[in-house]
Amino acid sequence: MFKSSHLDQHKRLFYLALPMILSNITVPLLGLVDTAVIGHLEHAYFLGGSTIGAMLITSVVWLCGFLRMSTTGLSAQTLGLGDLSKNLLILIRGVCLAIVIGIVFILLQNPFLDLALAVAGGSEKVQFYANQYAQIRIWGVPAALANLVILGWLIGNQQGKTVMWLLIATNVINIILDLLFVYIFHWQVQGVAFASLLAEYSAMLLGITLIAHHYKSALTKLGSDFRQLCRELFDKQVLLNYFQLNRDILIRTLCLQICFLFITFQGARLGDTVVAANAILMNFLLLISFGLDGIANAAEALVGEAHGKKNTKQLKLTVRIALFWSFIFACLYTLLFSTLAHFFLGIISDISSVITFAEQYLFWIILLPLVSCWCFLYDGIYIGLMQAKVMRNSMIIATFGCFFPLWFLLQGFGNHGLWAAFSIFMLARGATLAWHFHCYRKESI
């Protein structure tokens, strides 16, 4: 693994992965800060309500994760081709689509929230605060979706440090506003929602400013002929291929969101304490997934570049190195939660019933890095290859062939059954993608 001829590729992976790991971790850390701020209020229904509300908005953003994934894969491949104009068109097209989708959700917010809250369940107070939170956050959806495109484009162009500083700056703004609105202005759940809303628009403006400054001459050249720019942006065949690619990623993401929403909604039906405890555990899960995604993000960019250059040797080497480091980081996460999970719980909440209940399920969080690291990495590989159909099929199998059947069989074990089904679901995702890549490697590459 560490032959001298391979060291440069290890360095390239780490050059991209380490900033991505640091920046990715700030996202769930922010969620933990939000949870900690609300978790120290008097009642569990504040945390339960904000969790349900955040999940409703987050599900919309994650459902549109195809914007980030397709942008990363396409921009990485055009980077390999050395076509800057085409690269920038991918960014502009993605941002336009993101804003349109965001506006549609704002226009349809009342029926969307009514239906989602009816499905979510929970006590009357959890429902009230979930609705209060979501009605504020939904106005930030256009910015949140545009940020997916911006981050995806930066990752595809191997600008990991820019992504890191952009996310760190945004999350610092969010945390400061969290503390200001909740502890100084006493806005409770509304304060956390407003903080996230303002942070999303801050991120969008900062990202656009950075890209416009760095690519000023190329963007000026593109905009000099507006009609030609529009023809290239809305070329019928290009748009058809773009929407077909995003359709498959959308189906894949929809299956994933169904599983996440099911865990949250099922917890709400089991009681306020359960949904609050699961909120903490889900934030731990996000901390794991976003951290491991740092290696996957680097693999996306490097695999996409190698695929664009048609350099099969470099592509295979990238996959081997990424697999090795994904396992190493998964072991580190397992060690981290084995030793510090109880400490983290005490920081996040001082509601004894929530902490006591959550402690019963820490085993699953300790196990998850080793179980799930493979699906994160192979997702990244297939994003770089832009083979969305394979990702779609893998997710459908894992969702409807593993998660729901296993939950049905294990539901007698309550919340443990839910987390067991989810763990096997994550393992199935990685196993099916790994099987396809190694059995059909020639067709994949």
Side-chain angles (χ1 to χ4, degrees):
M1 177 60 70
F2 290 99
K3 292 179 181 179
S4 58
S5 60
H6 295 171
L7 285 178
D8 287 343
Q9 196 68 8
H10 280 276
K11 291 177 181 178
R12 284 197 72 198
L13 183 78
F14 263 86
Y15 179 80
L16 289 171
L18 288 181
M20 291 308 307
I21 290 170
L22 293 174
S23 57
N24 284 347
I25 287 174
T26 65
V27 178
L29 280 178
L30 176 61
L32 287 172
V33 171
D34 284 349
T35 304
V37 169
I38 297 297
H40 284 286
L41 296 179
E42 186 177 358
H43 301 290
Y45 54 72
F46 286 122
L47 180 56
S50 64
T51 299
I52 296 292
M55 181 60 77
L56 297 181
I57 302 304
T58 302
S59 66
V60 172
V61 177
W62 282 3
L63 190 60
C64 296
F66 60 84
L67 293 167
R68 204 282 298 168
M69 295 180 191
S70 62
T71 302
T72 298
L74 291 170
S75 60
Q77 291 189 10
T78 54
L79 179 68
L81 293 170
D83 192 336
L84 180 57
S85 295
K86 187 177 180 181
N87 207 335
L88 289 169
L89 285 171
I90 291 168
L91 172 66
I92 298 169
R93 187 181 297 114
V95 169
C96 291
L97 178 60
I99 292 174
V100 169
I101 294 173
I103 291 171
V104 169
F105 270 103
I106 290 175
L107 294 175
L108 299 176
Q109 62 177 293
N110 289 331
F112 166 69
L113 293 178
D114 290 343
L115 176 62
L117 288 170
V119 173
S123 68
E124 182 179 346
K125 288 184 177 179
V126 166
Q127 286 265 311
F128 173 81
Y129 286 108
N131 186 55
Q132 186 183 73
Y133 181 98
Q135 284 187 336
I136 296 169
R137 279 288 308 279
I138 201 163
W139 289 92
V141 170
L145 299 185
N147 289 334
L148 290 179
V149 176
I150 293 168
L151 293 177
W153 190 83
L154 290 170
I155 292 168
N157 282 277
Q158 302 184 18
Q159 296 187 31
K161 288 185 179 179
T162 304
V163 173
M164 179 182 71
W165 290 117
L166 179 60
L167 286 176
I168 288 174
T170 304
N171 290 329
V172 167
I173 292 171
N174 201 333
I175 291 169
I176 292 172
L177 293 177
D178 263 347
L179 299 174
L180 176 66
F181 292 161
V182 176
Y183 289 126
I184 305 299
F185 294 170
H186 303 290
W187 289 356
Q188 298 177 332
V189 171
Q190 288 178 309
V192 175
F194 274 119
S196 297
L197 174 70
L198 293 174
E200 283 160 353
Y201 279 100
S202 298
M204 183 181 71
L205 294 174
L206 182 57
I208 290 173
T209 301
L210 288 172
I211 292 171
H213 175 73
H214 192 69
Y215 295 94
K216 184 177 180 180
S217 59
L219 287 168
T220 301
K221 183 179 178 181
L222 271 177
S224 61
D225 188 342
F226 185 73
R227 289 185 179 180
Q228 178 63 23
L229 174 61
C230 290
R231 280 195 295 269
E232 292 181 359
L233 278 176
F234 304 111
D235 178 87
K236 184 177 179 180
Q237 189 57 49
V238 172
L239 284 177
L240 180 62
N241 293 337
Y242 184 63
F243 285 122
Q244 285 177 341
L245 172 66
N246 284 330
R247 176 202 62 198
D248 291 328
I249 300 177
L250 173 61
I251 294 170
R252 172 257 180 206
T253 308
L254 179 60
C255 291
L256 181 61
Q257 281 308 298
I258 288 171
C259 296
F260 277 111
L261 287 171
F262 186 82
I263 291 173
T264 301
F265 294 167
Q266 190 64 21
R269 286 178 167 79
L270 294 173
D272 290 358
T273 299
V274 179
V275 73
N278 277 352
I280 296 173
L281 297 174
M282 289 298 284
N283 274 294
F284 286 163
L285 170 64
L286 291 177
L287 184 62
I288 293 167
S289 65
F290 278 96
L292 293 174
D293 263 343
I295 301 291
N297 292 153
E300 290 173 26
L302 294 176
V303 166
E305 181 191 19
H307 189 65
K309 291 179 177 178
K310 302 187 185 302
N311 189 335
T312 303
K313 182 178 179 181
Q314 180 182 331
L315 193 155
K316 291 179 179 179
L317 178 60
T318 297
V319 171
R320 290 201 301 271
I321 291 173
L323 281 168
F324 173 78
W325 286 110
S326 288
F327 178 69
I328 295 298
F329 276 90
C331 291
L332 292 175
Y333 267 109
T334 291
L335 180 62
L336 175 69
F337 281 98
S338 296
T339 55
L340 296 176
H342 293 276
F343 172 72
F344 292 153
L345 280 177
I347 293 176
I348 293 170
S349 179
D350 55 7
I351 302 173
S352 59
S353 60
V354 173
I355 293 175
T356 301
F357 189 83
E359 285 177 336
Q360 301 174 44
Y361 301 91
L362 289 177
F363 165 79
W364 297 109
I365 300 301
I366 294 169
L367 179 66
L368 269 170
L370 297 174
V371 169
S372 62
C373 63
W374 318 111
C375 69
F376 297 132
L377 180 63
Y378 278 105
D379 266 353
I381 291 168
Y382 276 98
I383 290 168
L385 293 171
M386 281 288 93
Q387 294 199 18
K389 287 184 180 180
V390 179
M391 298 169 64
R392 178 200 66 190
N393 294 341
S394 168
M395 189 66 77
I396 290 173
I397 292 169
T399 301
F400 299 105
C402 293
F403 179 74
F404 283 107
L406 284 169
W407 170 79
F408 181 78
L409 294 173
L410 299 173
Q411 60 182 310
F413 293 94
N415 209 40
H416 276 296
L418 195 61
W419 281 96
F422 181 77
S423 298
I424 297 172
F425 158 77
M426 298 293 276
L427 183 61
R429 287 175 55 198
T432 51
L433 289 173
W435 173 81
H436 183 275
F437 184 82
H438 292 285
C439 289
Y440 296 92
R441 182 177 295 176
K442 290 183 180 179
E443 290 90 337
S444 297
I445 297 172

